[in-house]
Amino acid sequence: METEEKAYREMVAAQSDEQIDTWASDLFMDFAKRLGVGNAIERFCSAARLDARGGPDHVVGIDTGGQLAAPIFELPRAVAGLRKIDPEARARLVNFLVDHRQVMSYTA
């Protein structure tokens, strides 16, 4: 398992910023569809070290029930927003992808 993670991390880290952003956005959307928007936001915020006060570009917010929320179609903007506010965004996005690699779905 450790070897698999190391090899996957190396493969992801070798990609361009554009590819990492695309994969992270796809993973974020996939999480939202499979596990619900709140769970997707929670996992992204955890990997990106964001809190519930709002994500990048205020895409992520709090609903009336006090839960993390965002319109599903806005979730990819959080990836671009993270790049704007955090010089360590690339590393955080790689961690997000590696930590949740089992959820990734690939399409041709």
Side-chain angles (χ1 to χ4, degrees), residues 4-78:
E4 178 185 321
E5 179 179 331
K6 182 180 179 197
Y8 190 77
R9 179 175 297 282
E10 289 171 359
M11 185 276 300
V12 171
Q15 303 303 309
S16 68
D17 286 351
E18 182 179 352
Q19 184 62 64
I20 289 171
D21 291 0
T22 297
W23 285 346
S25 294
D26 289 349
L27 176 58
F28 203 175
M29 294 291 287
D30 199 37
F31 260 125
K33 291 174 186 173
R34 291 180 191 210
L35 305 173
V37 172
N39 287 324
I41 294 169
E42 181 181 313
R43 294 198 184 180
F44 180 78
C45 286
S46 176
R49 295 187 181 158
L50 299 171
D51 62 27
R53 290 182 302 220
D57 290 343
H58 302 287
V59 172
V60 177
I62 306 292
D63 68 13
T64 57
Q67 301 297 311
L68 293 170
I72 194 167
F73 59 86
E74 294 283 356
L75 296 179
R77 285 187 48 212

